[in-house]
Amino acid sequence: MTTQPAVPVSAQSIDLELTEGVERRRVLLKLSGEVFGGGSVGVDPATVRGIAEQIAAVGGKVEVSVVVGGGNFFRGAELSKAGMDRARADYMGMLGTVMNCLALQDFLEQAGQPTRVQTAITMGQVAESYIPLRAIRHMEKGRVVVFGAGAGMPYFSTDTVCAQRALEVGADMVLMAKSGVDGVYTADPKTNPDAEKLEHMTYTDALRRNIRVMDQTAMTMCNDNDLPMRVFGMEGEGNVTRALLGEEIGTLVTS
């Protein structure tokens, strides 16, 4: 899967505004580790800066939390297949997510967006411990909260953590950012020219048809708790900002 640098945009370029006096919606944005690496191992500063500027563009309009992966550094499952102990490999993957969190925090702060990082593994010198009520309070104060270190336990995917965090902080929607694809298709659009993009589908359909929008545990959690999700592509000018502001891009997945 390829990635491209996100294009910074200003919120003023998007014809969407929240009405004064209306309660702000709260969303959780899922970013894969591959996005942070720009297709390579490590962090690509230009790519992360672009993503941060798109998130900062909605400051004060939307309450935003972010779950980041660590696949640009380590993938626990892959290290396990290579012979490492699965639990130890998963912990390495969790530490990779923290490095991405700190990179995103740095560029968000540079863009003028106050940010807090909360991790499921205690590391007080660089991040707060994960405390849901504190995360909610941060968002109410206009801060972006970035969640790292997965669930703090091995054998849990970032997708599952994404669903769990969204439910626990009361997010109205999960925004699943994808690289190389702009939504959910009936088949792989890279190999099947007849693949059709879906504007809407249900979690039940995704599970029944084995469409891997996210892992099955995460989809089941979203389905059982009536938590909608929008799947959208990272490519395209301002797509992250557009999704955060509620524009109907990509594919909507509901119960």
Side-chain angles (χ1 to χ4, degrees), residues 74-89:
F74 307 106
R75 281 187 174 278
E78 293 178 2
L79 291 174
S80 176
K81 290 179 181 177
M84 285 193 65
D85 173 76
R86 173 62 190 266
R88 189 168 292 111

Side-chain angles (χ1 to χ4, degrees), residues 8 13 24 32 52 104 114 134 142 150 200 217-218 224 238 247 251:
S13 67
R24 293 182 301 180
S32 69
L104 182 59
R134 180 177 289 178
H200 172 255
T217 301
D224 291 349
E247 191 169 333
T251 301

Side-chain angles (χ1 to χ4, degrees), residues 54-167:
Q54 291 195 69
I55 296 172
V58 306
K61 296 182 178 180
V62 184
E63 295 181 3
V64 180
S65 58
V66 186
V67 166
V68 300
N72 52 323
F73 291 111
F74 307 106
R75 281 187 174 278
E78 293 178 2
L79 291 174
S80 176
K81 290 179 181 177
M84 285 193 65
D85 173 76
R86 173 62 190 266
R88 189 168 292 111
D90 279 353
Y91 281 117
M92 291 175 65
M94 292 178 219
L95 296 178
T97 71
V98 177
M99 289 190 278
N100 286 334
C101 288
L102 297 179
L104 182 59
Q105 180 184 36
D106 190 81
F107 286 113
L108 282 168
E109 295 279 351
Q110 288 186 36
Q113 173 58 60
T115 305
R116 296 291 185 272
V117 173
Q118 292 196 348
T119 57
I121 298 174
T122 302
M123 44 185 79
Q125 290 181 304
V126 297
E128 298 178 357
S129 296
Y130 172 60
I131 301 176
L133 290 178
R134 180 177 289 178
I136 292 169
R137 188 65 183 137
H138 284 322
M139 287 187 280
E140 290 174 343
K141 290 182 176 179
R143 300 166 183 154
V144 169
V145 181
V146 186
F147 298 122
M153 298 177 287
Y155 305 104
F156 286 89
S157 72
T158 309
D159 283 351
T160 302
V161 174
C162 172
Q164 191 279 333
R165 295 291 188 260
L167 290 169

Side-chain angles (χ1 to χ4, degrees), residues 19-38:
T19 305
E20 288 187 11
V22 175
E23 184 178 354
R24 293 182 301 180
R25 77 186 193 120
R26 182 178 298 159
V27 298
L28 185 141
L29 174 65
K30 161 72 190 305
L31 297 171
S32 69
E34 287 78 3
V35 167
F36 282 75

